[in-house]
Structure formats: structure tokens, C-alpha cells
Amino acid sequence: MNKPILYIKLGCPWCEEALAYFEEKQLDLNVVDVRTDPSKMNDLLEVSGQSKTPTLKNGDFVVADFDLEEFEEALSHNPSEAKKLGLKAVSKS
């Protein structure tokens, strides 16, 4: 099984926040810094249609250019993806 990919740009405050969040959740990720490996920018563009980070890809599930609230909102709309990631979908009431 492939690990989820988290595309980041080192120094990006949203990326740092995402990294801390996933570390706290103990989610094993393949972290790809598109600044230190510019060849991966094409992968990011192909996956998400844009160049902003953080962007998470897990199979066909992609959350692009997110803050944590947007990421949790995406999980709440995709509980099966949350389960695949081993994360709890936060229900919005």
C-alpha cells in the first residue's frame, strides 16, 4: 500500500501546520518538498491542477492548498477517505 503524499514548500506556514497536525495524528506520509525537488512540481500540478501547498494525495483523494479547517471539512465530506487515512472525520453540526 502506498503512503499518502503531502506536497509542501519548506517555510510555508500552512505546510508547517499541516506537518505538525499529521505528526500529532501519527499519519505516515511521503512528504515531498517541491522547492528542494523542483521536478516534483510537475507531479503536484498533475495531481491537483495547481501549484499551491500543502496538498495531500491519497489514491484518488486530493485536498489541495488547504488549511487544517479545510482539510477536516474535506474529511467530513469523505468519511471513507478519512477511514483509509486512519483519521476520524469531524462531523460539522
Side-chain angles (χ1 to χ4, degrees):
M1 182 171 139
N2 292 331
K3 291 185 204 179
I5 301 169
L6 181 65
Y7 294 94
I8 66 162
K9 293 175 184 164
L10 198 59
C12 159
W14 296 278
C15 297
E16 298 297 328
E17 187 177 56
L19 285 167
Y21 172 85
F22 292 125
E23 185 175 314
E24 177 185 306
K25 302 289 186 184
Q26 299 180 336
L27 183 60
D28 190 19
L29 297 167
N30 180 10
V31 178
V32 175
D33 185 340
V34 297
R35 285 189 178 150
T36 60
D37 189 353
S39 69
K40 297 297 183 181
M41 180 59 81
N42 288 335
D43 294 346
L44 173 60
L45 291 167
E46 187 177 311
V47 162
S48 66
Q50 53 83 57
S51 63
K52 296 181 180 171
T53 57
T55 294
L56 181 120
K57 178 186 184 315
N58 188 44
D60 293 332
F61 180 68
V62 176
V63 184
D65 183 28
F66 64 86
D67 64 24
L68 295 183
E69 187 175 313
E70 291 166 329
F71 182 76
E72 289 189 342
E73 179 74 17
L75 288 182
S76 74
H77 292 293
N78 296 281
S80 65
E81 291 298 332
K83 186 176 180 180
K84 286 179 195 174
L85 289 167
L87 301 173
K88 186 175 179 180
V90 178
S91 59
K92 305 284 181 181
S93 22

